[in-house]
Amino acid sequence: MEHAHATLPTVVHTVSYLRFIVLFPLLGVLFNIFLGQRLGRRAVNYVAPGMVLLSFLLAFVAFLRLPADGILVDVVWPWITSGSFQVDFALRLDPLSATMVLVVTGVGFLIHVYSAGYMAHDEDVARYFAYLNLFTTAMLLLVLGANLLLLFVGWEGVGLCSYLLIGFWYTDDEKASAGKKAFIVNRIGDAGFLLGLFLLFWSLGEKGVWTLSFSEIQAHASALSVNTVTAICLLLFVGATGKSAQIPLYVWLPDAMAGPTPVSALIHAATMVTAGVYLIARLHFLYSLSATALAVVAIVGTATALFAASIALVQTDIKKVLAYSTVSQLGYMFLGLGVGAYSAGVFHLMTHAFFKALLFLGAGSVIHGMSDEQDIRKMGGLKDKMPITWGTFLVACLAIAGFPGFSGFFSKDLILEEAFVSEHGSWLLWLAGTIGAGMTAFYMFRLLFVTFYGKTRASHDVAHHIHESPVSMTCPLVVLAVLAFVGGYFSLLRFLSPIFGEPHEAPVPFFIKQLPTLAGLSGIGLAYQMYVRDPGMAERLAQQFSGLHQLLANKYYVDEIYDAIIVQPVVAASNWLWQVWDTLVIDGTVNGTAHTMEANGLLLRLWQTGNVQNYALSFLVGAIVILGYYIW
Amino acid sequence: MVSAIVFTPLFAALILLMLPPEDEEGARRLAFGASLLTFVISLGLLAKFESGTADFQFVERFAWITDFGIQYHVGVDGISLFLVLLTTFLMPLVLLASWDDVHKHVKEYLFFFLLLETGMVGTFVALDMFLFYVFWEVMLIPMYFLIGVWGGPRRIYAAIKFLLYTMVGSLLMLVAILYLAYQYNAQHQTVTFDLLRLYDLKLSLIEQKWLFAAFALSFAIKVPLFPFHTWLPDAHVEAPTGGSVILAGVLLKMGTYGFVRFAIPLFPEAAHAAVPIIMALAVIGIVYGALVAMVQPDLKKLVAYSSVSHLGFVVLGLFAFNVQGVEGAVYQMLNHGLSTGALFLLVGVIYERRHTRLISEYGGLWKQVPLYASIFMVVMLSSIGLPGLNGFVGEFLILLGTFRANPLAAILAVSGVVLGAVYMLWMYQRVIFGPITNEENAKLVDLSRREVMIFVPLLAMMLFMGLYPRPLLTRMEKSVEATLARVNVLRQASPEQSRRAQHEQLPNSIGATHASPLQTAPKLIAER
């Protein structure tokens, strides 16, 4: 299957209602900040999800009115104007952004509802929903922005909300640190994003096109030289590796699990972390021009998919398993994009949003029922006590494992087929992805079996309290389970064809098509063998290969390595700069020269006495050195 | 109108001296009222300002010392307009902030503040070099006393250090100003200190270099540009809250304003020759300031070093010599005034309650003072340039402009964006998040109504300037272009004109009809 050349959706229909999609959650933010405390929990529980629902409904109407031949654009106001640099605050709805908006508001609404139940005992619920609504606002800006700068505004905005929500329980220093880490690592990516944006802007400017709007970039992209395009794409991809947690900037995501679990579901699984995928899909016309950039995207994606999956194999914290799984699945999306199968990547983005949000919410339900326990070694046997959670979790596991008929089966298989047959693909990418698929199925079913099957390993007190979650939590689970099943049947590829071009079938060899599914089934089988039929087997293997097990359990020691080669040296250097350079060298030169001169009695002849003049003179001496260099 | 803004504070200061010494409340009201009145008058400037021209507006001019051709000549353009507004905007807030803070020699304190305002506004509006120099020096004295009398334990050391660093620079500048007038006399047989006429002076490259160096040193100290910055942390730490706010908010801008108004347009070739050095110092300052800020144990020192980093951005933008860079730099001057001013006010709030500025003394403040923490959060985000708030617009335009002028400088400076987040977030976490470890902090009270009134206007401006920068940018544009035209980069090479050229010659092959600005700029300079 190959994509034909992308056709441009040329007709622009100007509308003025897209802004309200963004505005509703923003109103929710203001409500929560200014009235939330006063009006109380009930009001907040209705208003916050209600605003997202309004957004969803409006987005759905807009989606229905989306003309087949064009896009909807809403220019709200001219934002920054500086010389030739002019950027509007403009929103754009096309099949790609419509898909994203519906996922963000749809899944977002379910998670808001779920949150009302999950946060029922937290006194700070107004602040929580203010952040969550603000996140929705920023995410909608990200996907609806009609130009690269507005996308960046949303991009930073979601990063901020991520920071705030990870550290939501701020009195815990570890959680606050996790939030900070997320923000800073993302900022490193953002630096790359900004540089890519600058290069794009000036390169197009040299061709006489002064714009950052997606339509115009697309219209003139071919004027750029291939090397320039490659540089732009790679710089922007640095940003994507930050936001979408790819090697080498993935390290913040596992820590981000410190946030409330619904936040992990919404931000760190379904929506925000897919922003990097969206960015590349949005700019697919640039990436298509550079085989090098595509190759880098594909290789980094595949490497991350395997790397993170291997870590997920041995993690014992239910949310950490899911976090590494998310990193790994994002890798698959990048693999899809990197082989030029943009719609396959976006397809997987959507199905993943369904099943991964469901997994996180299921995990949240488990944690809720287990009195805040997250260690799966202390769980077990929850199947009967939490039947809805178990059933929906099972659906999600089948979906992510690529079980035939479930949503993940369609999207993941599509990516792997494309990896094999696409002109940008290779059998190596396919093979790595297939191995990863087996690992995915294994670690997911390991999680399922250890958590829900066997006998409970919880303490008596905890076991006594285990209960199914309230309706506000189980309801979203059921809806998401339905989506996780049927999501694969949405004809997204056709819907996206105005953006990415018509998919046309290429013959895929039988084994290539079937092996990933087989790998998934084997993974499930192996997990069943190791954790249900012979529960001691995992332990024996861990002892037999203790070195490998330690390496994986400690996540390849990447955090420790980063700390040793980046964080510690920077802090040490800063201290040195301050205490040695600033205090001793610069100030010391000033003071020291003064003292020397004083000792020689030079100054005494010129002025009366005191520090004042010493400084002046010594300072002049220093300044003259610099000036001398400049003038001669 | 401009003179009214300059002299209303001075007038009020003189009345203040006539008040009975025990009437502190009356003195406070008078000073606050005068600063508010000054702000209202300055809003008149904004209302009547014409954005379509680069000419100076509201010009007032009459002979002052006729024998030396010295005039009282004031006026504003799109660059100084907003700096005047920043000054008059911050002043009432600062006076409000020190209402309960200062109890020693209240009248004198207020007198010096009002005198300072006259000096600052005068410096921004003066169009006669001599008048400029007078105002420039007028600013120094009150600041010296504000630090030296109302400052912390090492205030004398800090005040003298501040005065000396600044004096050294300004003496050299005075010599340079006199030389300019002398040269003008030699060429035109009239003595003048009129800036607009001095712009047209013909100077050899070596003359330009010397003169530029004298001005640049004076301004570089004021900015402060690395490595002339070591007076700043001391001055800030010792200064009272109000002094820090004005020092960071307005006084530092004198340096960057001096570059864009005097040093660059007066000596364009020398400025071009200095680009590599100044850009290098600016980039070093950005990274260095951020790194050193990161490890500061004292809140005020942290903010002081962050100023070194932020002002490095401003200088970088100015020396990019393109519209985006310079507009971004002017915008960033305003941003820095707001956000760093607000940061010092915030530090002042907890200092007033706890009498310590050590980060390690705090922690877990959110629980105790949520309103304070929330406002602190917004200010911090403004300072680290989060989109949607003011800081982003300036930083972005500066980096955009710099990237064209010198990609390497932009790449290095972008690391300052990352480090900015590091030191701010880390500080914020240690002060606001975490459990309350120090019992003293459990007794903190949240912001009073008066304190909220100080921060609301600041936050409102941060949002406005982040979301809708256009009204400011359009008013700046002509003046910035005119300045750049003097530097001779803009002529024939501006993006606008290339675009116009593009449109006229559209049938020709794209891109081949004109060279890129990057290539033409140095050529123009060489030809001149």
Side-chain angles (χ1 to χ4, degrees):
Chain A
M1 199 172 84
E2 278 284 303
H3 288 296
H5 271 292
T7 48
L8 291 177
T10 38
V11 188
V12 174
H13 302 263
T14 309
V15 294
S16 57
Y17 55 83
L18 292 182
R19 66 190 70 174
F20 293 103
I21 300 178
V22 182
L23 197 64
F24 285 130
L26 188 62
L27 291 176
V29 178
L30 298 176
F31 174 86
N32 285 310
I33 290 177
F34 292 109
L35 299 171
Q37 284 291 352
R38 215 167 306 163
L39 296 182
R41 182 181 302 276
R42 259 182 83 82
V44 171
N45 281 348
Y46 279 105
V47 172
M51 286 298 170
V52 182
L53 181 63
L54 283 178
S55 269
F56 173 75
L57 294 175
L58 183 56
F60 195 73
V61 172
F63 159 77
L64 293 178
R65 296 171 69 166
L66 190 62
D69 62 335
I71 60 174
L72 301 179
V73 169
D74 182 357
V75 181
V76 188
W77 73 76
W79 187 33
I80 300 182
T81 318
S82 175
S84 54
F85 181 81
Q86 302 188 346
V87 169
D88 289 339
F89 204 101
L91 307 173
R92 155 198 177 116
L93 196 80
D94 59 14
L96 177 59
S97 56
T99 309
M100 294 297 291
V101 168
L102 290 175
V103 168
V104 169
T105 53
V107 176
F109 169 66
L110 293 173
I111 292 173
H112 274 73
V113 171
Y114 178 96
S115 292
Y118 191 83
M119 300 299 281
H121 306 293
D122 198 290
E123 60 187 38
D124 245 354
V125 70
R127 184 165 62 93
Y128 173 83
F129 273 119
Y131 292 167
L132 213 56
N133 275 341
L134 183 63
F135 168 79
T136 311
T137 310
M139 191 68 206
L140 288 170
L141 211 52
L142 194 163
V143 296
L144 282 172
N147 56 65
L148 197 53
L149 193 65
L150 205 56
L151 188 155
F152 186 71
V153 174
W155 183 275
E156 290 279 286
V158 292
L160 166 71
C161 298
S162 166
Y163 160 73
L164 293 171
L165 282 162
I166 296 168
F168 179 74
W169 288 306
Y170 55 84
T171 49
D172 184 339
D173 242 342
E174 209 172 297
K175 293 185 161 72
S177 292
K180 183 187 65 187
K181 180 174 174 183
F183 196 91
I184 291 168
V185 173
N186 267 295
R187 271 258 157 152
I188 296 171
D190 296 346
F193 190 128
L194 272 179
L195 292 173
L197 186 153
F198 297 152
L199 186 58
L200 175 63
F201 179 74
W202 291 119
S203 311
L204 281 175
E206 276 181 21
K207 310 292 176 197
V209 185
W210 303 92
T211 186
L212 282 176
S213 113
F214 294 125
S215 315
E216 288 189 57
I217 298 172
Q218 181 162 16
H220 297 95
S222 55
L224 301 173
S225 78
V226 174
N227 286 339
T228 311
V229 171
T230 304
I232 293 167
C233 288
L234 290 180
L235 284 167
L236 291 172
F237 183 57
V238 172
T241 60
K243 190 95 351 188
S244 292
Q246 297 295 291
I247 292 173
L249 296 180
Y250 71 93
V251 288
W252 63 271
L253 186 59
D255 288 25
M257 295 300 123
T261 303
V263 169
S264 311
L266 178 60
I267 301 186
H268 306 121
T271 55
M272 182 188 83
V273 289
T274 63
V277 179
Y278 173 73
L279 173 70
I280 291 176
R282 182 85 274 171
L283 294 174
H284 66 96
F285 41 84
L286 278 181
Y287 282 83
S288 292
L289 294 174
S290 165
T292 318
L294 279 181
V296 171
V297 172
I299 291 167
V300 169
T302 313
T304 309
L306 271 182
F307 177 82
S310 72
I311 297 175
L313 294 175
V314 300
Q315 295 303 309
T316 52
D317 180 315
I318 185 168
K319 287 182 74 179
K320 284 275 160 74
V321 177
L322 295 179
Y324 282 103
S325 162
T326 305
V327 175
S328 171
Q329 293 297 309
L330 289 164
Y332 277 101
M333 296 174 211
F334 282 106
L335 168 59
L337 300 173
V339 296
Y342 304 107
S343 44
V346 175
F347 188 26
H348 196 56
L349 185 163
M350 182 188 76
T351 59
H352 176 259
F354 298 148
F355 61 68
K356 190 53 68 65
L358 175 54
L359 284 169
F360 268 110
L361 294 187
S365 177
V366 167
I367 295 165
H368 198 73
M370 292 286 300
S371 314
D372 292 335
E373 181 58 62
Q374 295 189 195
D375 191 334
I376 55 172
R377 289 169 299 188
K378 296 181 184 158
M379 296 177 182
L382 294 178
K383 184 159 77 88
D384 301 325
K385 288 177 176 165
M386 307 181 79
I388 303 177
T389 305
W390 164 74
T392 51
F393 206 88
L394 176 63
V395 172
C397 285
L398 290 167
I400 190 174
F403 194 84
F406 287 76
S407 61
F409 166 77
F410 297 99
S411 54
K412 193 189 289 182
D413 273 18
L414 192 61
I415 289 176
L416 291 175
E417 286 167 19
E418 291 281 341
F420 190 85
V421 299
S422 159
E423 56 173 322
H424 299 290
S426 129
W427 65 270
L428 264 172
L429 294 173
W430 171 85
L431 182 65
T434 304
I435 294 169
M439 287 157 78
T440 306
F442 173 81
Y443 68 68
M444 281 318 304
F445 276 84
R446 163 182 177 266
L447 188 67
L448 179 81
F449 293 140
V450 174
T451 308
F452 289 97
Y453 290 75
K455 284 206 180 67
T456 182
R457 294 176 295 277
S459 68
H460 182 72
D461 273 357
V462 173
H464 187 69
H465 280 111
I466 297 175
H467 57 275
E468 184 57 281
S469 298
V471 183
S472 62
M473 288 167 70
T474 50
C475 222
L477 290 180
V478 173
V479 177
L480 280 170
V482 172
L483 288 170
F485 179 67
V486 304
Y489 301 98
F490 296 166
S491 57
L492 196 61
L493 301 193
R494 189 138 310 276
F495 179 59
L496 289 174
S497 62
I499 302 283
F500 300 125
E502 289 293 334
H504 53 92
E505 299 287 330
V508 182
F510 180 77
F511 282 110
I512 298 304
K513 207 172 169 62
Q514 301 308 328
L515 266 177
T517 311
L518 202 61
L521 293 174
S522 321
I524 298 174
L526 184 61
Y528 185 71
Q529 171 67 26
M530 281 174 69
Y531 295 97
V532 179
R533 287 186 55 188
D534 183 6
M537 187 175 164
E539 198 59 33
R540 289 198 302 278
L541 279 172
Q543 272 162 8
Q544 207 170 342
F545 302 99
S546 65
L548 181 64
H549 185 261
Q550 279 301 311
L551 187 66
L552 294 179
N554 286 296
K555 307 139 194 167
Y556 297 98
Y557 300 96
V558 171
D559 276 322
E560 287 76 5
I561 294 169
Y562 281 3
D563 190 62
I565 65 170
I566 299 170
V567 180
Q568 295 306 330
V570 168
V571 173
S574 303
N575 266 311
W576 182 83
L577 284 176
W578 172 39
Q579 278 158 354
V580 177
W581 180 251
D582 219 60
T583 313
L584 283 181
V585 178
I586 301 183
D587 250 15
T589 310
V590 175
N591 295 339
T593 326
H595 291 158
T596 321
M597 297 240 176
E598 201 169 24
N600 293 338
L602 273 172
L603 279 164
L604 294 173
R605 265 185 286 145
L606 298 173
W607 286 289
Q608 289 202 307
T609 182
N611 284 337
V612 179
Q613 296 82 349
N614 300 345
Y615 281 130
L617 199 65
S618 58
F619 192 73
L620 264 180
V621 173
I624 284 167
V625 175
I626 292 184
L627 292 181
Y629 168 74
Y630 154 65
I631 286 170
W632 290 284
Chain B
M1 187 143 55
V2 170
S3 291
I5 301 168
V6 177
F7 292 110
T8 303
L10 181 65
F11 186 64
L14 295 175
I15 296 178
L16 203 62
L17 291 181
M18 287 182 257
L19 284 181
E22 65 280 0
D23 187 10
E24 291 189 359
E25 193 64 17
R28 286 186 206 278
R29 278 164 201 266
L30 174 68
F32 179 69
S35 66
L36 211 56
L37 177 66
T38 315
F39 176 58
V40 172
I41 303 173
S42 67
L43 285 180
L45 286 190
L46 184 64
K48 293 195 178 147
F49 188 84
E50 297 278 342
S51 57
T53 170
D55 292 340
F56 283 89
Q57 305 179 31
F58 314 102
V59 173
E60 292 169 45
R61 150 182 228 169
F62 49 84
W64 181 21
I65 309 175
T66 29
D67 287 354
F68 299 107
I70 296 171
Q71 295 175 317
Y72 176 82
H73 183 189
V74 293
V76 295
D77 70 348
I79 296 173
S80 51
L81 170 70
F82 292 105
L83 290 165
V84 170
L85 280 164
L86 174 71
T87 312
T88 58
F89 174 72
L90 283 179
M91 206 44 133
L93 300 179
V94 166
L95 291 177
L96 207 56
S98 39
W99 210 274
D100 289 341
D101 190 17
V102 174
H103 296 288
K104 185 171 75 168
H105 306 303
V106 175
K107 238 172 69 177
E108 289 77 4
Y109 178 84
L110 297 169
F111 172 80
F112 282 127
F113 255 108
L114 290 170
L115 187 61
L116 187 60
E117 182 169 14
T118 291
M120 293 187 298
V121 176
T123 309
F124 285 135
V125 299
L127 296 176
D128 182 282
M129 295 295 288
F130 191 83
L131 186 66
F132 165 74
Y133 189 76
V134 170
F135 281 124
W136 178 273
E137 293 294 312
V138 164
M139 281 186 317
L140 286 187
I141 313 304
M143 200 63 213
Y144 170 75
F145 281 107
L146 285 172
I147 298 174
V149 177
W150 290 272
R154 292 175 75 222
R155 55 181 182 266
I156 305 293
Y157 170 80
I160 292 180
K161 203 171 175 183
F162 162 77
L163 192 71
L164 278 171
Y165 263 83
T166 326
M167 286 282 270
V168 169
S170 55
L171 282 175
L172 285 172
M173 184 168 72
L174 179 63
V175 175
I177 291 174
L178 293 176
Y179 184 84
L180 277 177
Y182 166 80
Q183 266 298 327
Y184 194 88
N185 188 34
Q187 288 179 16
H188 299 93
Q189 279 74 48
T190 35
V191 188
T192 186
F193 285 87
D194 190 322
L195 176 67
L196 305 183
R197 288 212 253 167
L198 291 174
Y199 276 155
D200 300 328
L201 203 56
K202 305 268 179 300
L203 295 166
S204 73
L205 184 59
I206 190 77
E207 274 175 312
Q208 281 202 23
K209 281 189 167 187
W210 273 106
L211 293 168
F212 178 82
F215 274 87
L217 179 65
S218 175
F219 298 143
I221 291 169
K222 202 83 182 179
V223 169
L225 198 59
F226 176 92
F228 308 111
H229 64 276
T230 56
W231 63 270
L232 185 70
D234 284 315
H236 270 310
V237 168
E238 300 307 325
T241 298
S244 285
V245 174
I246 291 299
L247 184 59
V250 184
L251 285 195
L252 302 189
K253 312 304 174 302
M254 298 298 171
T256 45
Y257 173 75
F259 273 114
V260 68
R261 172 71 77 233
F262 302 101
I264 294 172
L266 278 170
F267 320 110
E269 281 120 340
H272 268 287
V275 165
I277 292 184
I278 292 193
M279 275 206 170
L281 292 180
V283 168
I284 293 173
I286 290 170
V287 178
Y288 181 92
L291 287 174
V292 177
M294 190 168 72
V295 292
Q296 292 307 310
D298 180 303
L299 277 169
K300 264 192 163 181
K301 273 203 173 177
L302 187 148
V303 182
Y305 278 108
S306 84
S307 290
V308 176
S309 187
H310 282 148
L311 270 296
F313 274 107
V314 176
V315 174
L316 195 61
L318 289 180
F319 281 80
F321 292 152
N322 51 41
V323 180
Q324 290 79 17
V326 177
E327 281 195 3
V330 177
Y331 209 79
Q332 190 67 359
M333 290 187 213
L334 309 175
N335 293 335
H336 182 262
L338 293 176
S339 54
T340 307
L343 279 173
F344 277 120
L345 286 169
L346 286 162
V347 175
V349 166
I350 47 174
Y351 181 74
E352 197 185 309
R353 289 160 168 69
R354 287 279 330 272
H355 300 287
T356 176
R357 288 183 305 259
L358 289 181
I359 294 172
S360 55
E361 285 283 317
Y362 295 100
L365 259 53
W366 193 306
K367 196 104 218 153
Q368 200 58 33
V369 286
L371 185 58
Y372 174 81
S374 313
I375 291 177
F376 203 155
M377 169 76 75
V378 178
V379 174
M380 171 188 81
L381 295 173
S382 148
S383 176
I384 66 177
L386 193 89
L389 293 169
N390 57 343
F392 174 71
V393 179
E395 221 167 66
F396 177 82
L397 287 175
I398 288 172
L399 288 169
L400 184 69
T402 305
F403 190 87
R404 176 161 75 153
N406 186 338
L408 181 65
I411 290 167
L412 294 171
V414 163
S415 71
V417 175
V418 178
L419 292 169
V422 175
Y423 64 75
M424 274 295 169
L425 261 54
W426 193 29
M427 178 272 286
Y428 190 81
Q429 183 188 349
R430 284 176 293 165
V431 173
I432 304 290
F433 292 149
I436 293 186
T437 45
N438 190 327
E439 277 308 304
E440 292 284 311
N441 293 326
K443 288 180 251 164
L444 283 177
V445 279
D446 214 337
L447 298 179
S448 69
R449 185 169 291 225
R450 173 180 62 84
E451 286 165 331
V452 172
M453 271 166 55
I454 299 169
F455 289 108
V456 166
L458 286 166
L459 261 53
M461 279 313 294
M462 288 173 190
L463 263 175
F464 178 79
M465 287 177 65
L467 292 175
Y468 195 44
R470 232 171 89 93
L472 289 91
L473 290 174
T474 47
R475 283 173 176 78
M476 286 171 197
E477 187 158 15
K478 290 289 172 209
S479 303
V480 168
E481 281 175 2
T483 308
L484 286 172
R486 279 197 197 93
V487 196
N488 220 348
V489 171
L490 204 71
R491 207 167 69 196
Q492 297 172 33
S494 86
E496 279 72 22
Q497 276 144 354
S498 4
R499 179 160 52 178
R500 231 164 281 151
Q502 191 71 55
H503 279 293
E504 283 157 16
Q505 304 169 343
L506 210 57
N508 298 342
S509 68
I510 288 176
T513 50
H514 66 286
S516 85
L518 259 177
Q519 291 156 337
T520 39
K523 228 181 289 164
L524 277 167
I525 300 311
E527 282 161 8
R528 207 183 116 143

